[in-house]
Structure formats: C-alpha cells, structure tokens
C-alpha cells in the first residue's frame, strides 16, 4: 500500500514519472485519465522559483483534475531550496518531491540532483529543513548510488527517512549509468526491505507484465513509469488492471488510440495555444508507432497547422470514420 501523508493511500500504485520537457499539464492529464494514480511536474530549479522566473511558474501550474499531483524541485542550497519549496507549497500540490537523482552534467556536476549523493550530510540538511518548513508531505526521488562501486541506496534511504520524508522513489540505476544498461530491481528490493517508509520502484517498465514482475520481485509499494508512457498512456490502466485482477487487457483498438492522441493534442492546444500544436509534433512518432505507413503519416502531420485538418488527415489515412 502506497501511503503518502494522511490523504494518499493507494493499493498497487502505478504512477507517472517526472520528466523534463515531457510531463507538462496536458501529458499529465492524459496519463491521469488513463489510470495514473499520481503525477509529478517535471523538476524545477529552486533558484528560478525564488527568482519568480516565468518559465518555472508555468511549469508549476497544476489542475484539480490531475490530483494527486506533486511538484518536484531541485537545487543544492538549503535556504534557496526551502524558499522554493514554500513557494511551491503555496500553489497547493498534494505533496512536494525533491530530486536527488538527475545525472545530467549541468545539474549533478554542480552538486544538485544525483550530485547530492556525494554530499549526504547536505542532502540530509536540505531534506530536514524542507520537511520542517512545509505542512504538506515531502518525498524524494533518487538513484541507487553514484556508480557501481558506491551503491549507497540503503544508507540514502535510512538518512532520508530519518529526516521525515513520507516516501522515496528509487530509480534502479547509478548516476554513472545515466540511462544506459538496465535498472537494478534487486537493489530496489533490498532498499524496500530495509525501509520504514513506502518505496516506489522505477526503471525500464514498458509493459504491464514487467510491472507485475518487479512488483512481486521487489515488494515495492508502487511503481513509477516514465518512458514507457510515451504515446502509451493506457499502460497505466492496463497495468492497474493486471495488478488488481491478474488479467492482462489487450492494447486499445486503433480508434481508441487515435481518440486519445487527438484528445492529448486538444489539451496541449488548450494549454499552450498554437504552440501546443507545434510542440505536440514530438508525440506523433510515439502514438503512431506500429501503424502501417506511420512515417508517411507523420511527415504529413508535421506540415499541418490546424487541429481540424490534423484530425481529418489521421482519420482518412487510417480509414477511421469518427473517433469522438
Ligand atoms: C526525458 C526525460 C526527462 C526526465 N526528467 C526528470 C525530471 O525532471 N525529474 C526526475 O526526477 N527524473 C527525470 N527523469 C527520470 C525519470 O523520471 C525516470 O526516473 C527514468 O526515466 C527511468 O524510468 P523509465 O525507465 O520508466 O523511463 C527524466 C527522464 C527522461 C527520459
């Protein structure tokens, strides 16, 4: 059972991962509607939040229909992180998540994200001060260690738990792995066995069957899905169904897939106007993967600038009469 604070209690939790430039409000809404139990904003730099930077404020916009939703922040200066956490709290997310996992050079190299795995005392201080400053639950997301010679997840789990976080998400890779190799679910399982707080396991889930396998293998309280949700938001409902009933539902029919894609596009345009149509183009390859002549259809879609024409082109191309 994934319990975060007093309000969130979810059996067989399947949650959407925070992903920079991906998990904007339209993406989160479409995943929510397709079964994601919890969604997160992408990570937001604490310095930018306290500077009131417009881009960061936009990233923190959340909607009631996506709840429970968490705002994720990162940084490495305690005071700045606490101020940013309070500003984020004022926007009323259900909980705040701290990123101790990002491996990117520009972030980890400066001692933020997974860089804090090298400074566990500072990580503790930041965590404690944020927990003490907020009234909403605080959680964190991290990796199993810096590299394969310094797997520290058991100690990290203990340290963060002692500072009062309410749950920990563990991506089963080291910082050094970046996104290479495979996630180590055995280490996630060992951390879960050692923890007194709920653990959400993360890494490489692209099918409901694999989610079931790692749930059973590691004993986690919830699983988090990132890249496996690209153009595939129904992975959440299919995974939940398998976990709850033991029955694997088939993939949706082509009509339903197209309906979801077009709805996602409408959300994107409602949120960002015409830019929402242009920025949505990155999603076509994912939604259309496996469709006959998908490349040809994609090359037509990226030239179109109205929703109506896109919908018409997709339906004509795929021989679908009406989806909505
Ligand atoms: C494009 C992209 C952006 C990401 N941005 C974030 C982020 O903002 N915060 C975070 O905690 N993790 C971020 N991650 C890591 C994911 O949350 C997740 O831990 C990782 O992708 C492994 O899960 P998966 O195999 O299900 O994708 C990002 C990953 C990707 C691929």
């Amino acid at each position: 059972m994934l319990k975060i604070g007093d309000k969130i209690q979810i059996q067989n939790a399947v949650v959407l991962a925070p992903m920079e430039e991906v998990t904007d409000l339209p993406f989160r809404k479409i995943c929510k509607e397709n079964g994601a139990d919890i969604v997160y904003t992408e990570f937001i730099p604490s310095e930018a939040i306290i500077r009131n930077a417009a881009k960061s404020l936009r990233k923190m916009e959340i909607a009631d229909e996506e709840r429970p939703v968490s705002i994720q922040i990162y940084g490495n200066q305690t005071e700045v992180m606490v101020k940013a956490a309070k500003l984020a709290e004022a926007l009323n997310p259900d909980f705040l998540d701290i990123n101790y996992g990002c491996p990117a050079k520009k972030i980890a190299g400066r001692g933020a994200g997974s860089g804090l795995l090298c400074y566990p005392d500072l990580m503790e201080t930041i965590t404690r001060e944020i927990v003490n400053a907020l009234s909403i639950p605080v959680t964190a997301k991290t990796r199993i260690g810096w590299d394969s010679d310094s797997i520290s997840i058991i100690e990290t789990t203990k340290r963060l738990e002692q500072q009062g976080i309410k749950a920990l998400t563990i991506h089963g890779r080291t910082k050094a792995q970046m996104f290479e190799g495979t996630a180590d679910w055995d280490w996630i399982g060992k951390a879960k066995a050692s923890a007194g707080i709920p653990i959400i396991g993360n890494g490489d889930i692209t099918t409901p069957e694999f989610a079931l396998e790692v749930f059973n293998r590691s004993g986690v309280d919830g699983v988090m899905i990132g890249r496996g949700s690209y153009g595939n938001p129904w992975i959440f409902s299919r995974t939940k169904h398998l976990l709850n009933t033991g029955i694997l539902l088939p993939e949706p029919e082509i009509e339903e897939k197209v309906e979801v894609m077009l709805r996602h596009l409408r959300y994107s345009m409602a949120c960002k106007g015409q830019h929402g149509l242009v920025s949505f183009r990155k999603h076509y390859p994912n939604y259309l993967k496996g469709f006959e002549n998908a490349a040809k259809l994609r090359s037509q879609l990226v030239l179109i600038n109205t929703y109506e024409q896109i919908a018409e082109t997709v339906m004509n191309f795929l021989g679908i009469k009406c989806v909505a």
Side-chain angles (χ1 to χ4, degrees):
M1 173 76 75
L2 177 63
K3 189 173 175 301
I4 302 176
D6 299 329
K7 294 197 187 128
I8 300 173
Q9 217 163 314
I10 303 162
Q11 187 73 34
N12 292 331
V14 185
V15 312
L16 170 66
M19 289 185 285
E20 186 183 21
E21 303 288 336
V22 178
T23 52
D24 55 9
L25 179 57
F27 194 98
R28 300 196 305 267
K29 268 175 70 168
I30 210 75
C31 288
K32 181 87 210 176
E33 287 174 2
N34 282 278
D37 284 313
I38 298 175
V39 297
Y40 296 69
T41 67
E42 65 183 279
F43 68 172
I44 305 165
S46 49
E47 291 88 355
I49 296 175
I50 69 165
R51 264 202 330 269
N52 229 357
K55 196 170 161 198
S56 296
L57 296 181
R58 259 199 318 277
K59 286 179 182 174
M60 287 197 292
E61 276 169 18
I62 54 177
D64 273 341
E65 62 266 30
E66 59 174 331
R67 290 186 187 283
V69 55
S70 175
I71 293 179
Q72 191 192 60
I73 66 168
Y74 74 92
N76 65 354
Q77 296 171 61
T78 310
E79 226 176 278
V80 174
M81 291 282 280
V82 170
K83 268 192 202 159
K86 282 187 175 169
L87 289 168
E89 182 181 36
L91 300 172
N92 206 19
D94 295 277
F95 61 99
L96 182 105
D97 191 67
I98 314 174
N99 180 300
Y100 295 133
C102 179
K105 204 169 172 191
K106 65 177 190 229
I107 289 160
R110 289 192 197 141
S114 66
L116 280 160
L117 293 174
C118 300
Y119 304 96
D121 291 343
L122 178 57
M123 185 166 74
E124 273 192 6
T125 306
I126 291 172
T127 309
R128 181 177 57 249
E129 296 300 320
I130 292 179
V131 167
N132 288 341
L134 302 197
S135 17
I136 55 171
V138 176
T139 60
K141 178 167 178 282
T142 190
R143 290 186 173 226
I144 55 174
W146 182 260
D147 60 22
S148 55
D149 293 328
S150 58
I151 305 288
S152 53
I153 191 59
I154 306 287
E155 196 196 333
T156 304
T157 303
K158 192 165 147 205
R159 280 176 177 261
L160 293 175
E161 182 177 340
Q162 281 170 350
Q163 306 317 314
I165 63 163
K166 294 284 189 272
L168 178 66
T169 300
I170 304 172
H171 176 192
R173 282 186 175 79
T174 62
K175 182 268 168 199
Q177 270 183 288
M178 307 294 284
F179 288 89
E180 301 294 319
T182 51
D184 189 331
W185 280 87
D186 291 338
W187 272 115
I188 296 175
K190 284 181 208 164
K192 164 62 197 170
S194 76
I197 50 170
I199 299 293
I200 301 171
N202 167 240
D204 301 341
I205 298 176
T206 54
T207 62
E209 299 95 308
F210 188 65
L212 175 64
E213 182 192 322
V214 291
F215 235 111
N216 290 338
R217 239 171 69 196
S218 65
V220 289
D221 304 279
V223 292
M224 174 181 274
I225 302 179
R227 293 163 294 174
S229 67
Y230 288 2
N232 187 27
W234 39 83
I235 192 171
F236 295 101
S237 49
R238 292 180 69 227
T239 301
K240 290 244 22 141
H241 198 81
L242 180 63
L243 295 173
N244 288 338
T245 66
I247 296 165
L248 178 65
L249 296 175
E251 290 232 357
E253 297 292 333
I254 190 167
E255 286 82 1
E256 192 184 340
K257 288 186 175 180
V258 169
E259 189 274 324
V260 172
M261 180 182 83
L262 292 176
R263 186 147 36 94
H264 187 174
L265 170 59
R266 288 199 298 276
Y267 290 161
S268 186
M269 294 181 74
C271 188
K272 304 175 198 173
Q274 189 62 18
H275 173 63
L277 184 147
V278 176
S279 66
F280 192 82
R281 289 175 181 160
K282 66 173 181 252
H283 295 297
Y284 291 135
N286 298 316
Y287 275 112
L288 300 176
K289 202 162 61 189
F291 287 11
E292 214 174 306
N293 290 324
K296 192 168 165 213
L297 174 56
R298 270 185 352 244
S299 65
Q300 291 180 14
L301 293 180
V302 296
L303 300 174
I304 302 175
N305 288 315
T306 67
Y307 172 82
E308 288 71 23
Q309 241 188 310
I310 288 172
E312 199 185 315
T313 305
V314 173
M315 289 191 279
N316 283 342
F317 194 95
L318 298 173
I320 299 172
K321 285 205 172 60
C322 180
V323 293

